[in-house]
Amino acid sequence: ALVKGKDGRVLPRLVKVRRALCRIPTLAIHLTSGDERTSFKPNLESHLPPMLATNIKESLWRNSTGLGAAAEAEGEAAVDNTVNSRAHPLLVHVVAEELGCDAEDILDFELQLADTQPSALIGACEEFVSSGRLDNQGSCYVATQALIDSLADGSLEKDSSIRMITMFDHEEVGSLSAQGAQSAMFEDGLTRISASLGAELFSTKARSFQISSDMAHAAHPNYSERHDAKNRPRLHGGLVLKHNANQRYATNSIGATMFRRFAEIAGTPVQEFCVKADSGCGTTIGPITAAGSGIRTVDVGPPQLSMHSCREIMATDDVTHSIKTFVAAFRNYDSVSRAVDMDGPDPFWSDPGAGWGSKISSGC
């Protein structure tokens, strides 16, 4: 929300209404036709407006707050440029309560409806995470935690690589926005980092590696026919390497091999995923950022069920597997990448490294 402060300055404020505020009621099955019972196809314009309040309760609220009398005094011809003219005054009132300010101080806001039910551990053994928006806040969490954990051993001081994570908005609506994966944000960040270090941008990108992490489809126990017989990721089975010949994922053999090495160092399992040949395939921001930057990229993700449902499910073990694997990637990219001689030794590194050998480092 944009709020006007006491000194007249306009300030951005984050707002989250934690109580259940709206509800989109579905039509009772008794009132539906036979065709409607076989498929769920609501009209997005007329069937999905949320219920905020009834007219009678709204009128009582207006009278109790004096808004009804004020509206009559201003008259129908009065021009209202406040946020109340663009959003329901009752909603503005709720937002003002959450922000601890007057409704008149709110200039504008951008709100989204979301499930207010908190996340929970479910199952007889509490082995599943049930939550809204696991896709893709699950990946955002494990990446952030892994970046933090990678610093615990002090290895960053001797590391010649930059450890970073990038989280974009609007992935589900095409990524074409000022904060999306198709924006200049990623490239601008790389440019500024390279400039601050006195490094040449193109060589920096050529030596970089990107792990595009977006939640993956676990094999559904009730719909086994929807999955490829030889590529069936399972819950608790570790991060999933995603492959697609139509470049819906950015994974190639080089990136996949390097990622498997990170998992080997971390002591974590890795799974493989290919969509069935007769089925459509989703995509990620991996191909977008790989095409825009030229950085070697691999697409992975923790497995989950019920993707894009209001309540999604993933396994608790896969949270741990993901963090450990990403920690290993942060700490060991330098040594692993030096041993990959696709075009001969990297001329930008005087030391080509000792190769992978068979020794596995520990402590990840």
Side-chain angles (χ1 to χ4, degrees), residues 55-128:
N55 287 335
I56 184 64
K57 291 295 184 180
E58 178 204 353
S59 297
L60 292 173
W61 173 78
R62 284 179 177 273
N63 290 334
S64 67
T65 57
L67 286 180
E72 292 179 3
E74 291 178 3
E76 294 293 333
V79 177
D80 186 1
N81 289 324
T82 68
V83 70
N84 284 328
S85 67
R86 301 184 297 277
H88 198 290
L90 190 51
L91 177 60
V92 177
H93 171 74
V94 173
V95 173
E97 281 188 331
E98 291 291 328
L99 292 173
C101 68
D102 295 331
E104 293 76 17
D105 293 331
I106 299 177
L107 303 179
D108 208 344
F109 50 61
E110 299 176 23
L111 300 179
Q112 291 182 333
L113 289 180
D115 183 18
T116 57
Q117 183 179 354
S119 303
L121 295 178
I122 66 171
C125 300
E126 294 190 332
E127 61 181 301
F128 307 118

Side-chain angles (χ1 to χ4, degrees), residues 34-265:
D35 291 339
E36 289 173 330
R37 294 175 190 176
T38 60
S39 63
F40 181 68
K41 295 181 179 180
N43 183 288
L44 302 183
E45 175 66 23
S46 58
H47 295 160
L48 294 185
M51 289 178 56
L52 180 66
T54 58
N55 287 335
I56 184 64
K57 291 295 184 180
E58 178 204 353
S59 297
L60 292 173
W61 173 78
R62 284 179 177 273
N63 290 334
S64 67
T65 57
L67 286 180
E72 292 179 3
E74 291 178 3
E76 294 293 333
V79 177
D80 186 1
N81 289 324
T82 68
V83 70
N84 284 328
S85 67
R86 301 184 297 277
H88 198 290
L90 190 51
L91 177 60
V92 177
H93 171 74
V94 173
V95 173
E97 281 188 331
E98 291 291 328
L99 292 173
C101 68
D102 295 331
E104 293 76 17
D105 293 331
I106 299 177
L107 303 179
D108 208 344
F109 50 61
E110 299 176 23
L111 300 179
Q112 291 182 333
L113 289 180
D115 183 18
T116 57
Q117 183 179 354
S119 303
L121 295 178
I122 66 171
C125 300
E126 294 190 332
E127 61 181 301
F128 307 118
V129 179
S130 173
S131 175
R133 303 174 295 283
L134 284 176
D135 177 39
N136 190 36
Q137 291 186 13
S139 291
C140 293
Y141 168 75
V142 297
T144 302
Q145 191 61 52
L147 180 61
I148 296 171
D149 291 354
S150 75
L151 308 177
D153 64 348
S155 59
L156 182 62
E157 297 180 5
K158 299 179 180 179
D159 196 346
S160 62
S161 301
I162 300 295
R163 303 175 187 179
M164 62 180 286
I165 59 175
T166 310
M167 290 177 272
F168 299 97
D169 285 340
H170 308 136
E171 185 263 344
E172 297 294 354
V173 292
S175 297
L176 187 58
S177 69
Q179 306 91 255
Q182 294 195 62
S183 70
M185 184 177 73
F186 186 48
E187 185 76 10
D188 288 351
L190 296 175
T191 301
R192 296 179 68 178
I193 291 172
S194 297
S196 67
L197 298 174
E200 201 269 328
L201 176 61
F202 297 108
S203 61
T204 298
K205 291 194 292 186
R207 295 165 56 188
S208 297
F209 185 64
Q210 177 181 215
I211 299 174
S212 169
S213 180
D214 196 0
M215 301 296 287
H217 296 291
H220 199 298
N222 299 337
Y223 297 89
S224 60
E225 72 279 2
R226 302 298 177 89
H227 302 273
D228 183 84
K230 296 183 179 180
N231 295 279
R232 304 169 63 86
R234 54 186 176 81
L235 298 176
H236 298 300
L239 281 164
V240 179
L241 267 167
K242 305 177 183 181
H243 308 269
N244 185 259
N246 293 322
Q247 301 303 303
R248 302 289 282 175
Y249 303 130
T251 305
N252 60 19
S253 59
I254 308 170
T257 300
M258 292 178 64
F259 188 81
R260 294 188 193 102
R261 177 61 174 177
F262 296 140
E264 184 182 13
I265 293 172

Side-chain angles (χ1 to χ4, degrees), residues 13-33:
R13 296 279 301 278
L14 294 177
V15 58
K16 180 178 181 179
V17 181
R18 298 184 181 276
R19 64 185 176 95
L21 187 63
C22 300
R23 170 70 179 172
I24 302 175
T26 57
L27 185 65
I29 191 172
H30 316 79
L31 305 179
T32 60
S33 66

